[in-house]
Amino acid sequence: MIREEVSVSTRTLQWKCVESRADSKRRYYGRFILSPLMKGQADTIGIAMRRALLGEIEGTCITRAKSEKIPHEYSTIVGIEESVHEILINLKEIVLRSNLYGTRHASICVRGPGYVTAQDIISPPSVEIVDTTQHIASLTEPIDLCIGLQIERNHGYRMKIPKNSQDGSYFIDAVFMPVRNANHSIHSYGTGNEKQEILFLEIWTNGSLTPKEALHEASRNLIDLFIPFLHTEHTEEEDKIIEDNQNWVSLPFFSFHDGLAKLRKNKKEIALKFIFIDQSELPPRTYNCLKRSNIHTLLDLLNKSKEDLMKIEHFRVEDIKDILGILQKHFAIDLPKNKL
């Protein structure tokens, strides 16, 4: 175990590993700090990092097993202590490490009696078995156990296909996540405008990578997600929208006492297009129903009749009354009897 004193710099943003340990070959732990952060920043970073650690980092695992001698997933084989289902669960728990792309094939071919462990897996050079002592099966008689394996690298979790393959293949629930748990906590210090925060991150991995490696990879994945926003260029269509939007911006926010006269001008549809329903003081329930039905602007709303709105799931007569009241109050207009 490694422990370090927590030192906080008030000048530049710094991170440090304050605790690191390996409880076993398949359980690593690390605790990190990031400071000094302004109020609210620690929660923003902590939530994003936890999601990236658990969902964005790729891992390698066994996703399918094949044996022509296995009649059914829930069957038992004479001379093997475990059922086929238990063997598949044991294969699911095997921890692998690799940088492979696509799928690879491995195999197990052992003659009993004896114990079958992860060490008996014949894998390609690009795949490393983290813990060769992991148990797979116990052979109690002199029989042959031969199983073909499919290995994949991906991220997240994938449920197996709930059906048996005709060629003796059995899909295995794929847990690609090398990070098994991640938590964040916040320590605040200072007072008033000088208040700052320290972010603590705790990471547990399955041994296929260290918590520090997981933190680096999660950080790179988050950066990659935001890079496109740094390289945006306006298209002609976007420039046209911005130019049209200037006509809308010049209107005072909800000073629509003379709204009807303005909406009857040549640019009526442009004005309606850039007035969004979240500006209209609608009750949250009514607003959510409209958004789920892809009604985002006043123009979208006025393209719907009362009958159209009543067809929306969970929509009520009271919601129609709320909409009519808002339209009359702020825009001096009503819903059309028929679509525009």
Side-chain angles (χ1 to χ4, degrees):
M1 180 185 297
I2 302 172
R3 286 184 178 272
E4 299 180 13
E5 294 296 326
V6 178
S7 59
V8 179
S9 168
T10 57
R11 295 182 181 179
T12 57
L13 195 63
Q14 296 180 344
W15 77 275
K16 181 187 290 187
C17 177
V18 294
E19 185 176 353
S20 177
R21 67 172 186 261
D23 297 329
S24 68
K25 290 183 178 180
R26 289 179 281 134
R27 186 175 176 84
Y28 284 30
Y29 171 80
R31 187 159 66 102
F32 308 87
I33 63 168
L34 181 66
S35 66
L37 297 163
M38 293 188 297
K39 184 179 179 181
Q41 288 183 334
D43 209 28
T44 300
I45 298 173
I47 293 172
M49 283 302 301
R50 184 175 186 276
R51 292 179 66 89
L53 285 164
L54 294 173
E56 298 293 334
I57 300 179
E58 291 187 342
T60 306
C61 65
I62 298 171
T63 58
R64 183 160 52 176
K66 178 180 179 180
S67 178
E68 296 177 356
K69 296 182 179 180
I70 298 177
H72 192 274
E73 179 180 347
Y74 297 99
S75 63
T76 57
I77 300 175
V78 177
I80 301 179
E81 189 174 305
E82 293 83 2
S83 67
V84 174
H85 181 67
E86 289 172 327
I87 294 174
L88 294 177
I89 291 177
N90 291 338
L91 290 172
K92 170 185 172 181
E93 298 297 326
I94 301 296
V95 179
L96 304 173
R97 174 168 45 220
S98 77
N99 292 317
L100 64 85
Y101 292 93
T103 61
R104 295 290 187 276
H105 296 281
S107 63
I108 299 172
C109 194
V110 180
R111 182 169 181 79
Y115 294 103
V116 183
T117 65
Q119 186 175 4
D120 296 307
I121 297 176
I122 303 172
S123 60
S126 58
V127 178
E128 177 186 350
I129 300 170
V130 172
D131 185 359
T132 57
T133 66
Q134 284 188 263
H135 181 75
I136 296 175
S138 301
L139 306 184
T140 58
E141 296 182 11
I143 64 171
D144 293 324
L145 176 65
C146 294
I147 303 175
L149 304 175
Q150 178 176 288
I151 297 173
E152 294 183 46
R153 180 178 175 85
N154 211 318
H155 65 273
Y157 181 85
R158 188 173 68 203
M159 294 287 289
K160 65 180 180 180
I161 301 174
K163 63 179 181 180
N164 293 331
S165 177
Q166 297 296 326
D167 62 352
S169 294
Y170 297 91
F171 290 91
I172 300 173
D173 289 338
V175 184
F176 296 106
M177 302 177 290
V179 176
R180 292 305 166 91
N181 195 13
N183 291 327
H184 82 277
S185 57
I186 301 168
H187 172 70
S188 300
Y189 62 97
T191 57
N193 294 332
E194 300 299 324
K195 195 169 186 179
Q196 294 180 321
E197 297 176 339
I198 303 174
L199 172 65
F200 289 84
L201 275 171
E202 292 183 290
I203 303 171
W204 289 263
T205 70
N206 65 357
S208 63
L209 77 174
T210 66
K212 185 176 180 180
E213 291 170 336
L215 186 63
H216 287 177
E217 188 168 341
S219 300
R220 285 196 299 267
N221 290 339
L222 282 176
I223 291 170
D224 290 342
L225 290 174
F226 288 102
I227 281 178
F229 294 106
L230 301 177
H231 304 283
T232 56
E233 296 181 0
H234 290 306
T235 63
E236 292 183 4
E237 182 179 354
E238 289 171 337
D239 290 335
K240 178 66 167 58
I241 292 175
I242 292 173
E243 181 181 351
D244 292 339
N245 196 28
Q246 291 175 350
N247 298 321
W248 167 73
V249 173
S250 63
L251 295 176
F253 185 71
F254 270 132
S255 59
F256 290 103
H257 299 292
D258 57 343
L260 184 59
K262 291 183 179 180
L263 293 176
R264 284 176 174 171
K265 291 184 178 181
N266 293 332
K267 295 186 177 181
K268 172 184 176 180
E269 288 197 1
I270 294 177
L272 293 175
K273 182 178 179 181
F274 290 102
I275 299 175
F276 293 88
I277 61 172
D278 56 359
Q279 299 173 269
S280 58
E281 301 176 0
L282 286 169
R285 185 186 176 285
T286 307
Y287 169 78
N288 290 330
C289 286
L290 294 175
K291 292 290 283 187
R292 284 195 296 267
S293 299
N294 294 319
I295 299 175
H296 304 288
T297 67
L298 191 59
L299 182 61
D300 295 335
L301 183 59
L302 292 178
N303 274 324
K304 303 289 184 181
S305 65
K306 297 177 185 178
E307 290 74 17
D308 293 331
L309 295 177
M310 286 304 299
K311 295 177 183 178
I312 296 175
E313 187 176 6
H314 305 307
F315 220 69
R316 306 173 305 182
V317 175
E318 289 78 4
D319 300 321
I320 297 289
K321 292 179 180 178
D322 289 334
I323 292 174
L324 293 175
I326 293 295
L327 292 177
Q328 285 294 328
K329 178 181 177 182
H330 294 299
F331 306 100
I333 54 179
D334 200 350
L335 287 173
K337 293 182 180 180
N338 298 306
K339 292 185 180 182
L340 292 177

